Structure formats: structure tokens, C-alpha cells
Amino acid sequence: MSNIGRKRPAIVSIIELPRCFAGPPGVRLSGRSAAGRGKDERHARDVFLMYYAGRQNMRIIHISEYKQDTMELAKPVYDGKRRILLAAGRSIHPMYIDRLKAMKISSLIVEDVESTGITLEEMMDMPTWMDAIEGVQQVFEGVASNKPFPVAVLQKAVRKLVMEVKSRRIIVLFPSSSLPEELFEYAHAVNVALLSLQIGKQMQYNDLQLHDLAVGCLLHDIGKLSAGDEKGHPEAGFATLRKVREVNLVSAHVAYQHHETLDGKGYPRGIAGKDFLEFAQVCGVANLFENLVSRDNVPPHEAVERLMAMSGVAYLPSIIDAFVRNVPSYPPGTKIKLRDGEAAIVTRIHTHMQRPVIRLLSTNEEISLADHPTVIVEGVFQA
């Protein structure tokens, strides 16, 4: 809507050299005289314009980090009916920040100087993500109103998600927390499915297995529509899905078992060992990670470590290993602190999921952590 937020100049216009930019990968300003540095700065700006022309830069931030004077939206903000509330390319007035917080939106995707060179190409396109969310919502609302189960809607969403995962080496998720509270559960379901499909692909599941896994993950919380409490929703979900002829019983068991654990300390039945289906374990790992990151605001690297600690205890080591190989601890845009005190920002995932490419904030030099094993991440800067 044109009356919400104001249009900002192109992001290039707010970049000042050398404080904010020392050039794209491979371009560094030298320690020469003032006149020499001036030439270097002009050269770096020229290279900047050529290198990043046509490339949208963006990063994910917590809403508390938003700065109106230096940031603009790189992706739109949606309302509870999936309509665009704030368009990309605009800054957000402080009064609307308060409104977004009231809607329980806590993540934004922005463009600013620090996002230079971060394209988030690893992220699926937002319209596809929103279409999948709409599909899940239609299924949930159909079940809630006792209408015929919308099988075609579900199958369409599953096909899109499977195709997305199979066509990409890695998918960085849109945060569920980037949407208002009314859409959170549906976005959560889509993200759990995407995470699970990445694990399944690593474990070399075939197309039919990926399909059944995705169905179970998209519907893993459907029991919340009829259950009286949290611990009752897995059984309620199974009771709903087992009646749908087009839903494989394995997918129904994903909903039934996704809160179980290998050691028998899960719920609703406290099953253990071989009785805990592999598909349900995959969903359980993805569900726990997504809840930690989006609902509890736990940094991804810490969430990954928590899950690694559960290997062989709550979940099969093979599933945790597949998860770690496919989910980055430091997604692009994460601001990190190195052991030597340097501050840096993750720009992309290249050859190693847990050792990304970073840009030093002091010099703008890009370093692949996979190629520099002695460069150690000490921690992350949190909002």
C-alpha cells in the first residue's frame, strides 16, 4: 500500500567509501597516500556498481535491529490474509514497526550496506513459499469445517516443495516469524517439510518416499484442530489422517510419532527404538529445529548443536548427520565474531555447510572458512 512507508533512494546512494565498502570479492583498498586512496576509492565504487548491478542484496534481521535511516525492505511484509502490507523497496515508519510487533512479526528481510554481496540465492522464491502456505491453510480450514479433504490442494503443495528441494543444493528458510501470528502454524508446517525433504534427499529417499514424508510433515500438527491439549494433538492428527484414503498410513504415523524419541521419553505413547519410524524421526528433528529458531529465537548454530547432542539418544545418528550436512549453522547474513576478535558477516554457503564464506567488516575481504581451518567462529552477534 502506497501510504504505508516511504520510498527510499536506491541503496547505492547511501554507501560511503571507505568506511562502508572496500570493494566486492577480490577488491581491497591499499594503505597509500590520501591521493592514492582517493583513486582506489573511486575505482572500488566503479567496481561496486559493475559487480552488484542487477543483484538484489538482502539479509534477515530481528525486528529490533531495524534502522529506518539505513535499511529498506528487500522482501514484502504480509498481513494475516496473505496480502502485501508493506512492499519491498520501502523503509518502515516507526509507528508501523510497533504494528508489526503487535502482529507478532519478529523477522524482516532487508537491504542495507551490510547486506552488500548477500543475495540469499539459497532461499526459495517468496511467492512459491506463500503458495505452499496457502495450500496448507486451505487443508487445515477444510478439515476444521468438516469439508471434503482437499487432496488436490495438498498434492500441489507437495509437488512444488519436492521440486524445490530436488533442484537446489541448499535451501535457506524464510523465517516463520516473518509472518503474522495467524499464518505462523502454516508457515511452520511448510518449513518443517522443507527441512525434512533436505534430510530425506541426503538419505537418498526416492520420489515416493519424499512425497509421503512431505505429506506427513505438512500435516504433522493438524491434530491441534481437535485436540484438547498439546500432548493430545499427535494422536488426534493420526485419527484424522488415517481416515483419508489418499494419505499413506506412513504419512499419518509421521503426525502420530513426531514428538516421540528413541529413548522412550517422548509422547504420546513413549515408544522407543525400532518402533519409532524413521520418517517420524526426520519430521521430529525438523520440527524441533524450526521451533527453536522461529518460536524461541534460538540462533541456528545453537539449535544445530542441541540437535547434535541428541544423536543416538533421541534420534538416529544417521538422521542427525544428514541434518547437519544440509542445514547451515550460520545462514547468509549472520553476523559473527571470530576468535581473533574480528567481526564478520556470512555472505554465502559455498563448499561446506558449516564453514561458510564470510566478509570481514573491517576490510570487506571475503574468506572461505572451508579453506581457512584456523579461522574459528567464536560466536554470533544477537539482537
Side-chain angles (χ1 to χ4, degrees):
M1 298 181 181
S2 59
N3 62 334
I4 301 179
R6 58 183 176 83
K7 184 68 177 176
R8 287 186 52 79
I11 203 74
V12 173
S13 67
I14 66 170
I15 295 179
E16 297 179 359
L17 295 174
R19 287 183 301 166
C20 300
F21 178 68
V27 177
R28 299 182 62 186
L29 299 181
S30 63
R32 297 163 58 193
S33 65
R37 286 198 304 272
K39 291 180 180 178
D40 280 345
E41 291 165 17
R42 288 191 294 275
H43 171 66
R45 184 182 294 277
D46 290 342
V47 174
F48 172 86
L49 292 171
M50 290 186 291
Y51 186 82
Y52 291 113
R55 297 163 62 96
Q56 185 179 25
N57 303 298
M58 64 188 82
R59 63 189 180 105
I60 301 169
I61 65 167
H62 190 270
I63 195 169
S64 62
E65 298 177 80
Y66 184 76
K67 298 177 182 178
Q68 184 185 9
D69 293 338
T70 60
M71 296 178 179
E72 61 182 24
L73 287 171
K75 295 291 183 181
V77 176
Y78 290 83
D79 67 11
K81 298 185 182 296
R82 302 185 310 278
R83 301 172 302 195
I84 293 179
L85 179 66
L86 294 167
R90 297 182 179 275
S91 63
I92 309 176
H93 191 278
M95 67 178 288
Y96 287 104
I97 289 290
D98 292 337
R99 179 178 173 185
L100 297 183
K101 290 178 179 178
M103 296 166 67
K104 306 299 183 184
I105 293 174
S106 59
S107 299
L108 300 171
I109 302 173
V110 302
E111 181 177 6
D112 65 351
V113 173
E114 288 188 355
S115 69
T116 300
I118 305 171
T119 62
L120 289 183
E121 293 173 351
E122 303 90 346
M123 187 176 281
M124 67 188 293
D125 68 279
M126 199 163 200
T128 300
W129 187 61
M130 292 299 295
D131 285 348
I133 290 169
E134 181 181 8
V136 174
Q137 184 175 7
Q138 288 178 18
V139 173
F140 273 58
E141 290 177 348
V143 170
S145 57
N146 292 315
K147 293 180 180 179
F149 194 88
V151 175
V153 173
L154 175 64
Q155 301 288 15
K156 181 180 178 181
V158 168
R159 284 194 300 270
K160 281 188 174 181
L161 296 182
V162 171
M163 184 172 62
E164 280 286 334
V165 171
K166 289 183 67 176
S167 64
R168 296 171 180 266
R169 187 177 68 86
I170 171 181
I171 290 183
V172 172
L173 302 178
F174 284 101
S176 302
S177 53
S178 64
L179 294 177
E181 191 173 23
E182 302 96 309
L183 299 178
F184 184 89
E185 285 297 334
Y186 313 125
H188 167 72
V190 171
N191 282 354
V192 168
L194 286 167
L195 287 165
S196 295
L197 286 170
Q198 290 182 84
I199 297 171
K201 183 175 73 171
Q202 177 68 33
M203 298 181 72
Q204 300 184 332
Y205 287 178
N206 61 36
D207 286 353
L208 181 58
Q209 289 173 313
L210 291 174
H211 173 276
D212 290 342
L213 176 63
V215 169
C217 291
L218 287 176
L219 304 178
H220 73 279
D221 276 340
I222 201 163
K224 290 183 177 180
L225 295 173
S226 55
D229 57 23
E230 166 65 22
K231 291 198 172 183
H233 82 269
E235 188 167 2
F238 178 70
T240 296
L241 296 178
R242 69 185 301 187
K243 299 174 185 175
V244 182
R245 185 180 59 185
E246 295 84 358
V247 173
N248 191 310
L249 194 60
V250 172
S251 302
H253 272 284
V254 169
Y256 200 5
Q257 297 186 14
H258 70 279
H259 282 296
E260 302 285 3
T261 55
L262 279 179
D263 58 8
K265 295 181 180 179
Y267 64 88
R269 294 182 294 162
I271 60 175
K274 293 185 297 183
D275 292 332
F276 188 13
L277 293 180
E278 185 174 282
F279 277 19
Q281 292 189 51
V282 171
C283 181
V285 168
N287 179 62
L288 179 54
F289 178 82
E290 218 283 327
N291 274 329
L292 286 171
V293 172
S294 286
R295 184 189 65 190
D296 300 336
N297 201 32
V298 173
H301 75 282
E302 184 178 324
V304 169
E305 288 182 5
R306 290 192 193 183
L307 281 159
M308 289 174 66
M310 296 180 176
S311 179
V313 178
Y315 306 105
L316 286 171
S318 58
I319 294 174
I320 297 297
D321 180 66
F323 170 81
V324 171
R325 288 175 180 272
N326 282 270
V327 177
S329 293
Y330 306 102
T334 305
K335 294 174 73 173
I336 59 175
K337 180 181 179 181
L338 303 180
R339 181 168 290 178
D340 62 5
E342 281 266 22
I345 191 165
V346 177
T347 57
R348 64 187 184 278
I349 310 296
H350 184 43
T351 59
H352 194 294
M353 197 64 63
Q354 307 304 335
R355 299 287 289 173
V357 178
I358 65 172
R359 187 179 76 241
L360 301 179
L361 295 182
S362 61
T363 64
N364 284 307
E365 177 187 4
E366 276 203 337
I367 296 175
S368 170
L369 294 184
D371 297 334
H372 293 79
T374 60
V375 179
I376 304 299
V377 178
E378 185 80 11
V380 302
F381 293 99
Q382 293 182 253

